Amino acid sequence: MSGAEGEVYLGSIATIYALSPDGEPLWTFEDPTAEGIHMAPTPGPDGLLYGAFDLGIGAFALDPADGSLEWSNSGDPQLIDLGNAFGPEASFGPSGPGQPVDQFYVQMDFHKSLHAFSVENGEQLFTTSVVGSISHQPAIGSDGTIYVPSFSGGNGWGLQAIEPDNGQILWIYNAENGNGMSEVQIDSDETLYFHVPGHLEPVDGHAAERKWINSHFQVLDRPSLSPDGSLLLLGGVPNSGQPGFVKAFDTADGSELWAVDLPGEAFPAGRHLAADHARFTPDGSTAYVSTSLVGGGSSDPHSLVFALDVTDGGSDVTCQDVRRLVARCTADGTLKFGVGLRDAGHDGESVVLDLDGEEQFTVAIQGSRAVVTLEGQGGTGQRTVTLLEPAGCLDPVVTTCQ
């Protein structure tokens, strides 16, 4: 995390480090009794740094100037996670409508509990037993309502809404497919955006009702909401072992707006996957996406950071640019389809293809081609591919898979 003057705060094992904007060490804070750092040090509403250790001193607040301890609270029950979390950021919220941001939340899986602490002095205000296992940190509504991703047993993953002044559970929402769940992003109108396997599924935080659903057959994770709430960015991968992508979705109806393919080749070659939340500039015009390099050799071991212009993800491709639409199945069950363009003048732009009237693909143009490869997904029978954008250029093509 970064501070007001560009300082960088990070943690490793049981030590917190503060670095200057130039990378020079400023101070360290260590808890030798802790299992490790559960929550990354995060600037709070009063400028202090808030976080939590797994065991040890538990929740804490540090002075960012010198790393001195303002307060700590080991929690009741004790804050224990046993290494299940991966450095979530701290969550803060008001104790009720119209109140200042005065509470700090820590969520750990061992006791399946959500702890609320006072920002002022670290007093534990309440603890709530969350149904089933816990994933990620909570999202906080404008009135202070706490929205917790959780595992509710037979129905799988979903959401719980919790009252901020006493920790009582307000409602539980069961997701369409509860086999997993991303972190939650919340809009100013209390819409909660999250992804479960195969579905984007926003929920109205006031009514606990689904707004729309986008069903697909790709792996998506880590939604990031643009500052104006109009755009949702997610990293993902078309299939295991493939290079990743970043996709943008319209928050009004869930339609896919555009996609950017990340570099690399299929396993065992090296390939880049989106590694964390996209970070937007305050005006929402640019999003920064970090990647992890998976597989490959030691010739180029670098991960990358991409700066994406999200103000215009559209394409200038017209029917005059499109030369042909093709589709074929291979003997190993791979389905390939795409378009060929007359030249490479639209490299980096995109077209939209439809498969069997059931799934749409926004495909980045590389050189003079835009191709989709679905390994092992050819199935049997006829598969129909239609060029949707630009529209009306070519007749759909049909291929027969064995």
Side-chain angles (χ1 to χ4, degrees):
M1 297 297 294
S2 61
E5 303 298 326
E7 305 93 340
V8 178
Y9 305 108
L10 50 90
S12 177
I13 309 178
T15 303
I16 293 170
Y17 299 87
L19 306 177
S20 73
D22 298 325
E24 295 295 324
L26 298 176
W27 51 259
T28 61
F29 179 88
E30 182 180 8
D31 180 4
T33 65
E35 180 79 12
I37 294 174
H38 168 79
M39 180 182 293
T42 307
D46 55 1
L48 297 179
L49 290 176
Y50 292 83
F53 285 98
D54 186 354
L55 294 171
I57 66 173
F60 63 82
L62 302 179
D63 186 332
D66 57 10
S68 58
L69 182 66
E70 294 285 324
W71 58 256
S72 66
N73 192 323
S74 60
D76 181 17
Q78 188 175 10
L79 295 171
I80 305 174
D81 197 65
L82 300 182
N84 290 324
F86 297 94
E89 297 174 15
S91 296
F92 306 90
S95 53
Q99 298 297 313
V101 176
D102 53 4
Q103 296 186 165
F104 162 49
Y105 301 106
V106 180
Q107 194 170 299
M108 291 198 180
D109 194 54
F110 186 81
H111 293 294
K112 306 189 188 315
S113 57
L114 172 75
H115 294 68
F117 297 97
S118 167
V119 167
E120 181 180 3
N121 56 23
E123 175 189 0
Q124 182 172 307
L125 304 173
F126 64 80
T127 181
T128 295
S129 295
V130 179
V131 178
S133 299
I134 296 173
S135 171
H136 312 304
Q137 283 301 110
I140 310 300
S142 59
D143 62 354
T145 301
I146 309 159
Y147 300 100
V148 181
S150 62
F151 188 82
S152 55
N155 293 315
W157 289 96
L159 281 173
Q160 295 182 61
I162 297 174
E163 184 71 46
D165 63 349
N166 56 26
Q168 293 185 353
I169 295 177
L170 299 174
W171 51 256
I172 297 176
Y173 174 85
N174 295 310
E176 180 74 16
N177 177 3
N179 291 332
M181 188 173 180
S182 73
E183 298 175 16
V184 177
Q185 295 277 287
I186 187 168
D187 203 351
S188 58
D189 64 356
E190 306 298 304
T191 299
L192 302 160
Y193 296 94
F194 60 91
H195 179 265
V196 295
H199 305 284
L200 268 176
E201 190 174 343
V203 171
D204 183 338
H206 298 295
E209 296 178 350
R210 186 171 68 199
K211 284 193 166 184
W212 48 258
I213 189 167
N214 179 322
S215 299
H216 53 81
F217 301 97
Q218 298 175 330
V219 179
L220 297 174
D221 200 8
R222 304 182 186 277
S224 298
L225 190 66
S226 63
D228 65 0
S230 66
L231 189 76
L232 197 66
L233 285 187
L234 291 96
V237 61
N239 204 352
S240 178
Q242 299 292 315
F245 55 70
V246 178
K247 290 193 172 186
F249 296 87
D250 190 333
T251 57
D253 57 10
S255 59
E256 184 179 318
L257 299 175
W258 47 264
V260 174
D261 291 327
L262 299 176
E265 299 178 10
F267 175 86
R271 57 204 182 278
H272 286 269
L273 306 178
D276 209 336
H277 282 292
R279 303 289 179 174
F280 288 88
T281 54
D283 64 1
S285 63
T286 303
Y288 297 96
V289 178
S290 60
T291 70
S292 292
L293 177 63
V294 181
S298 59
S299 59
D300 185 12
H302 302 92
S303 296
L304 302 172
V305 176
F306 290 83
L308 304 180
D309 180 358
V310 299
T311 58
D312 182 11
S315 175
D316 295 325
V317 179
T318 67
C319 288
Q320 287 72 28
D321 300 309
V322 179
R323 185 166 57 90
R324 61 175 180 165
L325 175 66
V326 295
R328 66 184 180 92
C329 279
T330 61
D332 63 357
T334 296
L335 175 62
K336 288 187 175 183
F337 55 92
V339 297
L341 282 74
R342 301 189 184 281
D343 55 49
H346 294 282
D347 181 57
E349 298 181 30
S350 61
V351 297
V352 179
L353 299 169
D354 175 89
L355 178 61
D356 298 331
E358 297 178 352
E359 186 174 6
Q360 295 181 11
F361 298 82
T362 301
V363 189
I365 299 169
Q366 297 182 334
S368 60
R369 300 191 308 160
V371 179
V372 176
T373 301
L374 302 179
E375 293 187 354
Q377 300 181 50
T380 58
Q382 291 187 338
R383 311 300 301 270
T384 302
V385 176
T386 304
L387 177 61
L388 296 182
E389 294 181 16
C393 303
L394 299 168
D395 291 334
V397 296
V398 178
T399 187
T400 301
C401 300
Q402 303 298 324

